[in-house]
Amino acid sequence: MMKMKKVAALLLVAGALSACSNADRFGNGDGPGAGGPGAGGIVPGSANDPRSAAYFQQTIGDRVLFPVDQSTLTDEARTVLAGQAQWLLQNTEYTARIEGHADEQGTREYNLALGARRANAVSEYLVSQGVSAARVNQVSYGKERPLEICSAESCYAQNRRSVTVVGGGIPTS
Amino acid sequence: MTHVLNITTRFFAFLMMLACATALSAQDRLRIELDNPRVEPVPLAIPSFVAENGAAQEYAAQIAQVVAADLVGTGLFRQVSQDAFISNITSFDAPVQYPDWRAINVEGLISGAVNVADDGRVSVKFRVYDIASGAELGSGLQLGGTTASWRRLAHKVADTVYSRITGEGPYFDSRVVYVSETGPKDNRRKRLAIMDYDGANLQFLTDSSSIVLAPRFSPTGDRVLYTSYETGQPQVYLLDVGSVQRRALHDESGAMTFAPRFGPNGSTVVYSASSGGNTDIFTVDLRTGARARLTSAPSIETAPGFSPDGTQIVFESDRSGSPQLYVMSATGGEARRISFGNGRYGTPVWSPRGDLIAFTKQNDGRFHIGVMRTDGSDERLLTVSFLDEGPTWSPNGRVIMFMRETSGADGQAALYSVDISGRNLRRVNTQGAGSDPAWSPLLP
């Protein structure tokens, strides 16, 4: 429920932002969004613009999950990350910030180190797929930024994650 | 017979020259051995201190109340109600009516008097009476300070009483720096706060615009190391408590740095740095900026802390496959594992007395605060809860403060303290939620 609300809020924000920043291009008709493959009804920067951060987050998938106290990538994680790498190779104007997170089991210091391991595992995978290391940076949040806030394994599983935040992308050409 | 308190520009102390102050029985009965404490708290009478002039009125009662709160808060004493008193203390120099106090089962009596001079300086004099022995315990003492520091004067009185009765070092005149928290778990706002050990005189040291973690005092208590995300990366900062000025300690590499602690010399800082997914332990000298790498294993090495003599470092590593505690030389090199019980160990902290290491332990889905000898023997768990973490020592090495967080979406962090005996678990006063406490040394 909480999660759905958040996604809805993000969509609203993404829509509002694109409405503001892209109004001009949308209007004059020669912007890349309008000239692109989805010219019919696609709002540039919105979740149905395949070059937008919102599309990356929702359709490609911006996060992968880890087993307890592990930083090795599961097969499922590799599939998601292969998609992320492909997207980043196509959208070279974006950089990627890899955030490593841990659940609330574990001490603050250990979880910072564990989050760093997770972020690095993701970063290395993206680079192995051809993404330039210069476009990828890492940060660990340890257990400081849980996504789900109940205290049960179902929530912990969602919090043992890395999130790839794409930014710096101004799709101008 | 001399009692000497630290003399600073702000405080003065001297022995009162009292004819009767010297004869001390060798068999004081007002004694508590902390390693073998009595089961029942010792009954103390702490009447309102005598106000020696009009300006002292407002301080006399409050100082006695703070003295009583400090002593009762140890769990070693209880306060006998003023309603039960047969005689009262209306003059500091009047002879004590021992039978009147024995009749109501008082074992210790603290009498005091307060004077506020025209220049605003406060003088507090006090005496401790061992009622059963019918004699003073130690000599009368006078302390002075400013009206603004009246609580410190009260803590110093209580420290003196505590030390005379237990034979232990004092700890009430101390402060705690911690992380003040607001907001839900998934959007928690954190800022550094400092307060007296009992929660009074709260002051915020940072705003809540960036995550801040795990502040640690310098050996003199005037500076604080902590970790902040203000650049977007966790990095170590040094803050001057007096001026609230801070500076970054991280180097140009932009590596994540965290878990800093001072060495006993006040200039060496040990910390963790993480790059390429690997976390190791480093030191930096605050005077020269020189850095040294102490570990270089592919495992996680973090949460380092010095022994009080500065020769060794205890830290946490998962090199064995799970987080355990290790001790190495302060210059690095071979480390020996000291934790061997079931579960995962972290955040080791050496006692200021040098005899014990406190730690966080996870086992069977529960968290504990525990202590062990520095060779890992005699492990004792002092607490258990959903999440207990991050022990810090009282200046005398007899009490541990830590963070306890409750479970679930509404879970909140709070500060708690517990004796190293495992007794007297109690919540520490904070305004709102708090985590990551660090106890200062005794104030100068």
Side-chain angles (χ1 to χ4, degrees):
Chain A
M1 189 60 198
M2 197 101 178
K3 202 172 175 185
M4 283 175 63
K5 269 191 208 155
K6 269 190 201 156
V7 171
L10 277 171
L11 282 172
L12 277 173
V13 169
L17 284 175
S18 62
C20 297
S21 59
N22 294 313
D24 203 23
R25 281 184 296 156
F26 203 38
N28 67 24
D30 55 16
I42 292 178
V43 180
S46 77
N48 58 1
D49 172 0
R51 301 176 61 188
S52 71
Y55 179 89
F56 178 87
Q57 186 193 21
Q58 291 160 45
T59 306
I60 302 294
D62 65 346
R63 66 201 52 193
V64 297
L65 304 183
F66 293 86
V68 176
D69 202 15
Q70 296 290 311
S71 56
T72 46
L73 300 172
T74 63
D75 290 345
E76 197 182 343
R78 285 167 190 273
T79 306
V80 173
L81 294 177
Q84 289 187 3
Q86 199 174 12
W87 189 92
L88 285 165
L89 289 170
Q90 286 164 1
N91 296 280
T92 53
E93 65 276 22
Y94 284 96
T95 58
R97 171 178 160 98
I98 318 296
E99 300 176 350
H101 298 268
D103 65 27
E104 67 185 323
Q105 308 172 88
T107 61
R108 208 177 295 297
E109 293 84 356
Y110 183 81
N111 282 346
L112 278 171
L114 179 59
R117 267 186 184 163
R118 287 174 174 162
N120 190 64
V122 167
S123 177
E124 281 188 346
Y125 189 84
L126 294 177
V127 170
S128 78
Q129 299 295 298
V131 179
S132 162
R135 293 173 59 201
V136 181
N137 62 69
Q138 310 168 23
V139 63
S140 173
Y141 281 101
K143 58 178 174 177
E144 297 305 313
R145 285 286 177 260
L147 191 67
E148 297 290 337
I149 54 172
C150 76
S151 293
E153 175 51 29
S154 57
C155 301
Y156 290 153
Q158 297 301 310
N159 292 335
R160 291 191 297 267
R161 69 199 193 277
S162 85
V163 180
T164 304
V165 180
V166 294
I170 307 163
T172 50
S173 65
Chain B
M1 182 99 258
T2 52
H3 292 286
V4 181
L5 290 191
N6 289 329
I7 298 169
T8 71
T9 51
R10 284 198 294 165
F11 291 94
F12 61 91
F14 59 87
L15 264 179
M16 285 181 287
M17 307 310 277
L18 300 172
C20 61
T22 51
L24 259 191
S25 158
Q27 297 173 334
D28 293 332
R29 291 174 60 181
L30 186 54
R31 288 287 296 177
I32 299 175
E33 299 289 337
L34 287 197
D35 290 326
N36 187 22
R38 303 192 219 171
V39 177
E40 291 297 320
V42 172
L44 295 181
I46 310 172
S48 177
F49 284 13
V50 176
E52 293 194 328
N53 55 11
Q57 289 286 353
E58 64 174 304
Y59 299 103
Q62 291 186 92
I63 288 174
Q65 282 164 15
V66 170
V67 171
D70 282 346
L71 293 170
V72 171
T74 64
L76 302 171
F77 305 98
R78 68 180 172 86
Q79 192 180 5
V80 175
S81 166
Q82 202 136 348
D83 297 340
F85 293 176
I86 295 168
S87 59
N88 215 328
I89 305 290
T90 50
S91 158
F92 183 64
D93 289 318
V96 164
Q97 304 302 312
Y98 288 101
D100 287 354
W101 300 104
R102 279 184 205 119
I104 57 172
N105 297 317
V106 164
E107 291 186 37
L109 166 68
I110 300 161
S111 77
V114 181
N115 184 290
V116 179
D118 291 341
D119 64 0
R121 290 188 69 78
V122 183
S123 299
V124 180
K125 50 189 178 182
F126 66 98
R127 293 193 181 101
V128 186
Y129 296 94
D130 179 346
I131 299 300
S133 307
E136 265 194 77
L137 179 66
S139 306
L141 197 62
Q142 180 164 323
L143 306 170
T146 62
T147 49
S149 63
W150 71 268
R151 292 187 68 95
R152 284 197 61 191
L153 290 171
H155 291 315
K156 284 176 179 288
V157 171
D159 270 333
T160 306
V161 175
Y162 171 88
S163 290
R164 287 183 183 178
I165 295 177
T166 64
E168 299 287 333
Y171 72 90
F172 304 124
D173 186 25
S174 60
R175 305 184 88 187
V176 171
V177 62
Y178 69 103
V179 174
S180 171
E181 300 192 0
T182 54
K185 269 188 182 177
D186 60 346
N187 186 25
R188 195 151 281 177
R189 315 290 286 178
K190 296 189 167 191
R191 58 195 302 203
L192 288 191
I194 190 168
M195 63 184 190
D196 295 353
Y197 99 100
D198 61 357
N201 292 322
L202 176 73
Q203 180 196 350
F204 291 105
L205 299 175
T206 67
D207 62 25
S208 59
S209 55
S210 315
I211 300 171
V212 289
L213 306 174
R216 310 293 181 199
F217 274 110
S218 66
T220 44
D222 55 347
R223 291 167 298 157
V224 168
L225 290 164
Y226 67 104
T227 302
S228 169
Y229 276 75
E230 62 184 79
T231 64
Q233 294 277 338
Q235 287 179 319
V236 173
Y237 289 78
L238 175 65
L239 180 141
D240 182 86
V241 173
S243 66
V244 203
Q245 297 286 313
R246 67 185 195 285
R247 69 179 172 96
L249 290 191
H250 49 270
D251 56 20
E252 322 69 50
S253 76
M256 288 179 258
T257 56
F258 53 98
R261 279 188 197 275
F262 277 98
N265 63 10
S267 69
T268 308
V269 171
V270 66
Y271 64 99
S272 275
S274 190
S275 62
N278 183 27
T279 301
D280 275 307
I281 294 171
F282 297 78
T283 54
V284 59
D285 187 312
L286 294 180
R287 290 166 307 186
T288 64
R291 285 168 200 271
R293 169 188 279 269
L294 301 192
T295 67
S296 53
S299 44
I300 287 172
E301 274 72 37
T302 188
F306 281 95
S307 59
D309 66 3
T311 62
Q312 296 176 88
I313 288 172
V314 63
F315 64 99
E316 167 185 352
S317 169
D318 71 346
R319 60 184 65 177
S320 73
S322 73
Q324 300 290 336
L325 307 184
Y326 294 79
V327 173
M328 66 179 171
S329 159
T331 53
E334 283 293 298
R336 69 176 189 281
R337 179 171 165 180
I338 60 166
S339 63
F340 290 96
N342 294 326
R344 300 152 60 88
Y345 294 78
T347 65
V349 198
W350 222 294
S351 152
R353 294 154 61 104
D355 57 341
L356 297 171
I357 288 171
F359 54 84
T360 305
K361 178 174 180 172
Q362 285 168 267
N363 194 26
D364 280 342
R366 307 288 280 172
F367 275 77
H368 307 268
I369 301 297
V371 293
M372 57 174 59
R373 291 187 191 280
T374 57
D375 63 2
S377 63
D378 290 347
E379 174 177 324
R380 288 186 293 119
L381 299 182
L382 308 179
T383 72
V384 56
S385 90
F386 168 73
L387 178 51
D388 285 350
E389 184 178 338
T392 180
W393 289 94
S394 64
N396 70 352
R398 282 290 177 177
V399 184
I400 288 171
M401 199 178 287
F402 60 98
M403 157 192 128
R404 170 166 288 183
E405 189 159 330
T406 50
S407 69
D410 301 327
Q412 289 287 343
L415 308 189
Y416 280 77
S417 66
V418 67
D419 285 7
I420 56 169
S421 62
R423 294 182 182 87
N424 199 37
L425 176 72
R426 53 177 66 218
R427 186 163 173 171
V428 177
N429 283 328
T430 53
Q431 282 179 24
S435 60
D436 294 9
W439 211 321
S440 79
L442 205 65
L443 295 178

